[in-house]
Amino acid sequence: MDNLTDNSEKLKIAQRIGLVVIALGILALLIYFVYLTATRSLTNLESVLLQLIFFATGFGVASWIRQKSVENAVSETIKPQARSALRRLSSLYGSLSRASIELKSLNDTASSEHFRVIFAKLDAIVTEQINTTEDALEDWKDVVTEDVEALKQKLQSNNMTVGDNE
């Protein structure tokens, strides 16, 4: 988990460095055009190029700000619901895992063939429900990746490994 956090932190730092480099490049172009404008008159081509640079810069910054604000709004809207759903899934998963373990132990000790059939059916139902909770965890992974990973770590530390329901 710490390695994942370190990698995401490194990615964020690299993105910020990239943005700073781009901003410095645009600033250098702006200073160059200001210098050209102060020392001589710009040609029509230079004026059009300057306007295109300003347009592209403004459009790029506006698009980036829009994207970040939408991501933040969606994240802040969904995270509270996702966390409560994850708590319910965690409880359901733990309960079903314990039921599955008990059914398997009863299946080993039962003497009657009739009980074995009943226990096999119950085991299949519990396994299906555990698979459903695993699918739900994967669905939420896109929204709250860190929380899902933490939950999987917690389940594994409690000897309830995700995917080990046979």
Side-chain angles (χ1 to χ4, degrees):
M1 184 81 169
D2 291 333
N3 191 17
L4 179 66
T5 304
D6 291 341
N7 288 338
S8 64
E9 290 296 322
K10 288 178 183 176
L11 181 62
K12 287 179 183 178
I13 291 170
Q15 287 175 341
R16 288 183 180 148
I17 290 172
L19 286 174
V20 167
V21 168
I22 291 171
L24 289 175
I26 291 171
L27 183 63
L29 271 175
L30 180 63
I31 291 171
Y32 175 70
F33 274 107
V34 168
Y35 170 75
L36 283 180
T37 304
T39 59
R40 64 178 176 86
S41 297
L42 293 178
T43 64
N44 288 338
L45 181 61
E46 289 171 335
S47 294
V48 168
L49 183 59
L50 180 63
Q51 289 175 3
L52 284 175
I53 289 172
F54 285 147
F55 174 76
T57 302
F59 185 76
V61 169
S63 297
W64 179 75
I65 290 172
R66 179 194 54 82
Q67 178 187 6
K68 290 299 178 186
S69 66
V70 167
E71 287 174 3
N72 289 340
V74 167
S75 176
E76 293 305 314
T77 302
I78 292 177
K79 272 190 181 184
Q81 290 83 7
R83 284 192 180 108
S84 63
L86 280 173
R87 283 192 299 271
R88 288 189 300 275
L89 278 173
S90 174
S91 175
L92 174 65
Y93 194 96
S95 173
L96 289 173
S97 295
R98 287 187 296 278
S100 178
I101 291 168
E102 290 301 317
L103 285 172
K104 287 177 185 173
S105 70
L106 287 174
N107 194 24
D108 293 339
T109 60
S111 59
S112 171
E113 187 62 30
H114 180 68
F115 287 120
R116 289 189 186 277
V117 171
I118 291 172
F119 287 129
K121 288 179 182 178
L122 288 173
D123 187 42
I125 291 169
V126 169
T127 300
E128 181 181 352
Q129 290 178 346
I130 290 173
N131 289 336
T132 301
T133 60
E134 289 175 357
D135 292 342
L137 284 173
E138 287 301 315
D139 291 342
W140 281 108
K141 193 173 187 178
D142 295 338
V143 179
V144 284
T145 305
E146 299 86 5
D147 294 340
V148 170
E149 291 300 326
L151 178 58
K152 283 184 178 181
Q153 291 287 356
K154 178 183 170 190
L155 292 173
Q156 288 175 351
S157 70
N158 291 338
N159 294 326
M160 292 183 268
T161 55
V162 176
D164 185 25
N165 54 12
E166 293 183 11

